[in-house]
Amino acid sequence: MRNTDFKGFQGEKGLWGKGVNCNENQDIYLFESAFDAMSHFQIYNKNGFYISLGGGFGSKQIDYLCLILERQQSQNLVICFDNDEAGNKMSDTLKMALQERLPNLNFERNLPKNAKDFNELLQKSSQNLSI
């Protein structure tokens, strides 16, 4: 929910996800927002399963994420959170929580270069394109 005096979430948080030519053992890309997930795909055009936490995460989202990782039989999680202190902290916290439950999971941190997030990176790269 959002208006001039409030920005927050009401109800139980879940996950947003989209598989792009996805099959078992493909990389899973994890984002703070669905906009960043879609922007990342526009920039890099990589197949895989794209997931957004919709901001922060809680224990239910960790449970859902573990289910997805187990069902996809993926060994690679690419964490694509914002390139800021909050994104770094959230990445470390999530990694610790998941390592306890999925010890064989490989983690990669993918940061947007010269941008706060992948949506900003897409906007900057779009300015350099000629039509």
Side-chain angles (χ1 to χ4, degrees):
M1 295 176 61
R2 185 186 289 245
N3 68 25
T4 56
D5 299 323
F6 176 79
K7 176 183 168 188
F9 191 84
Q10 181 177 0
E12 198 172 308
K13 281 190 137 189
L15 298 173
W16 173 92
K18 174 69 176 149
V20 179
N21 295 325
C22 195
N23 56 39
E24 291 179 355
N25 301 317
Q26 288 225 263
D27 291 345
I28 294 180
Y29 299 90
L30 186 63
F31 300 85
E32 291 181 43
S33 78
F35 284 114
D36 289 332
M38 291 183 282
S39 297
H40 186 278
F41 180 77
Q42 286 293 106
I43 296 167
Y44 300 109
N45 199 26
K46 290 188 176 186
N47 294 339
F49 199 73
Y50 290 74
I51 299 172
S52 166
L53 298 173
F57 62 90
S59 62
K60 279 283 192 201
Q61 287 174 297
I62 298 284
D63 292 341
Y64 297 147
L65 187 55
C66 285
L67 284 171
I68 291 168
L69 289 163
E70 289 167 353
R71 285 188 181 158
Q72 289 294 316
Q73 300 177 7
S74 178
Q75 297 299 311
N76 300 313
L77 179 65
V78 183
I79 301 173
C80 305
F81 293 158
D82 290 357
N83 190 5
D84 59 14
E85 186 177 333
N88 293 332
K89 183 177 178 182
M90 195 162 66
S91 177
D92 292 341
T93 303
L94 182 67
K95 185 176 176 181
M96 286 188 335
L98 290 175
Q99 279 180 325
E100 291 177 16
R101 294 176 62 176
L102 302 167
N104 295 325
L105 187 62
N106 299 316
F107 294 89
E108 179 184 330
R109 180 82 159 101
N110 186 350
L111 294 170
K113 305 267 189 286
N114 300 316
K116 178 184 180 275
D117 57 37
F118 288 99
N119 188 35
E120 183 179 292
L121 183 61
L122 177 63
Q123 292 174 23
K124 285 181 176 182
S125 67
S126 296
Q127 294 170 359
N128 295 329
L129 298 176
S130 60
I131 297 176

